[in-house]
Amino acid sequence: MLRKISLISILFFIAVFLSSCFDAHEVGDYAYVTTIGIDKGIVDKWRFSFQISDMRSGSKTQGGGEQEKTEYVALTIDAPTFFKATNVLNTSLARMLNFRHTKYLIISKEVAERGEFGDVMGPIIRFREIRRNVNVIVSQGTAESFIDNLKPVVGLSMPKMQEGFMEISKQTGFSPQIKLSDFYSSLKSTYRQPIAIMAGINDFSHLPRNDGGGDNEQIFIGERYAGELPRKGGNHIELFGTALFDGDKMVHKLDGYETRVMLMLRGEFERGTFSHNDPLRPDLDVAVDLSQHSKPKVKVVFDEGKPVIYVNIRLDGTILAIQSRINYEKTDMIGYLEGLIETTIKHQADALIDKAKELNVDFLNFGHHVVKCFSTIQEWEKYNWLEKFKDIKAVVTVDAKIRRTGTMIKSSPVLQKGGRK
């Protein structure tokens, strides 16, 4: 009996450890999708676009060495559902579409403003291959054209470029970091509403030219929107600003400056460069690198049944440039710059809160703090925060401290001939 059990055990282990992986797939069996685009369809309900990477064999360089060359192909199809689109496209490829390395989910502004994106969001969020850290982006134009223009300019790796855009946004504050999990959770939330990254395609026509062409309208660069920045060269796509949603319907968009203040109020701002008119020489500018010292301190009280929200924003600054060369580094002078920053940010924050109340959309995450004043979920849901948001009162205070002065400890005027200043 013991010999039988031993023999069966040996045969079992042989069967387990020597069996091949019959359902295994090689890397070359897949076409890896880096970006998904969703537009309104023409011959069917949706138009899906997929950008796939195709790793080719090494190609000769001018130096005689070899380097890996990556090509990107865009596939577009009209289909009633996401999975129908992938199924049909697989018939025209020698490899299966794979979404494990997808970085961007692009929604056209048309689809976002129709309020229909929720219909296609469910299947996408359920699909096991699509990770929850995919970035959600709203394109000013079509998602198809966005994908066609999404090409690496510096370097060869598309995923590296996509990740680089997200990392740079942390250093500028001109666009938020919104993942698929954040967006989907906000769709179902009773105390906040969704936002997404705003993107556009720049045809470089907004840069003024000597012949009078281009966009000569005098608008501060931070008050523009994605696709409208006065620049030339580099990548055609821009991630700049924020798309605001009421449910799954886009209702408004924020420019670059408004986005930075929104991130400060939400406690998600990391750093960014701010230029202000010099308080003593308004014709010149002062540039300061600002970072958020800590998440804002938020206190909520109820006055006659209406919430009053007190928000304190704390910022740290580093002087980057003083065009007037006034010695603001002095202890009795640095307060001019701190006061300028505090006044400017408070004014922008008050204006942004008024806009949120006018839209009746809580994209500032104030509901996250108000919900703590309720004892039960039932009480909170009965209060109906998303409808009451327009009735709030918010009081914002800003504390800014210039911590560093760069590599100069004193600004001095430029001397002319004869010692004249």
Side-chain angles (χ1 to χ4, degrees), residues 29-220:
D29 295 337
Y30 294 113
Y32 290 97
V33 178
T34 57
T35 306
I36 301 171
I38 302 174
D39 292 303
K40 191 69 177 173
I42 297 177
V43 299
D44 219 317
K45 185 173 183 180
W46 302 106
R47 171 162 293 184
F48 295 96
S49 299
F50 304 98
Q51 185 184 59
I52 61 175
S53 60
D54 182 19
M55 301 299 293
R56 301 292 180 89
S57 58
S59 59
K60 295 289 183 180
T61 61
Q62 292 181 351
E66 288 195 6
Q67 67 178 20
E68 192 174 36
K69 182 180 179 181
T70 307
E71 293 186 359
Y72 301 92
V73 180
L75 307 175
T76 302
I77 186 173
D78 282 8
T81 65
F82 174 77
F83 292 108
K84 178 69 73 175
T86 58
N87 245 348
V88 173
L89 283 178
N90 282 334
T91 65
S92 64
L93 296 171
R95 292 180 285 183
M96 295 284 290
L97 291 176
N98 186 285
F99 298 88
R100 290 188 176 91
H101 298 286
T102 301
K103 301 290 184 183
Y104 287 172
L105 174 60
I106 313 296
I107 316 161
S108 71
K109 186 181 176 184
E110 179 188 8
V111 170
E113 290 180 335
R114 284 174 177 264
E116 299 175 348
F117 181 59
D119 298 343
V120 75
M121 172 66 80
I124 289 177
I125 199 76
R126 186 189 295 272
F127 190 31
R128 68 181 64 187
E129 285 188 8
I130 297 179
R131 302 181 182 183
R132 297 294 181 98
N133 62 354
V134 172
N135 298 283
V136 180
I137 300 172
V138 174
S139 174
Q140 296 267 35
T142 65
E144 180 184 1
S145 62
F146 184 92
I147 289 177
D148 288 339
N149 284 273
L150 184 60
K151 300 175 183 178
V153 174
V154 181
L156 295 172
S157 172
M158 176 68 72
K160 283 291 185 182
M161 185 193 73
Q162 291 174 307
E163 292 173 1
F165 273 122
M166 295 300 105
E167 287 300 315
I168 289 299
S169 70
K170 296 179 183 179
Q171 304 303 313
T172 64
F174 285 128
S175 62
Q177 298 264 319
I178 302 299
K179 308 298 183 182
L180 184 58
S181 57
D182 302 325
F183 189 89
Y184 187 65
S185 297
S186 298
L187 281 175
K188 304 181 297 179
S189 176
T190 58
Y191 54 85
R192 61 175 177 170
Q193 284 157 300
I195 63 173
I197 304 164
M198 202 73 208
I201 301 171
N202 197 324
D203 60 3
F204 305 144
S205 65
H206 299 279
L207 184 68
R209 301 194 300 269
N210 292 332
D211 59 4
D215 183 1
N216 292 299
E217 188 175 359
Q218 296 297 316
I219 302 176
F220 289 114

Side-chain angles (χ1 to χ4, degrees), residues 4-52:
K4 278 187 177 182
I5 294 174
S6 300
L7 181 60
I8 292 172
S9 299
I10 292 172
L11 292 175
F12 173 78
F13 282 109
I14 290 175
V16 171
F17 290 106
L18 297 184
S19 61
S20 62
C21 300
F22 67 93
D23 60 344
H25 293 277
E26 299 294 332
V27 173
D29 295 337
Y30 294 113
Y32 290 97
V33 178
T34 57
T35 306
I36 301 171
I38 302 174
D39 292 303
K40 191 69 177 173
I42 297 177
V43 299
D44 219 317
K45 185 173 183 180
W46 302 106
R47 171 162 293 184
F48 295 96
S49 299
F50 304 98
Q51 185 184 59
I52 61 175

Side-chain angles (χ1 to χ4, degrees), residues 369-382:
H369 305 282
V370 178
V371 69
K372 299 174 184 178
C373 300
F374 292 79
S375 302
T376 65
I377 295 176
Q378 290 76 14
E379 289 181 12
W380 170 250
E381 291 179 345
K382 184 179 179 181

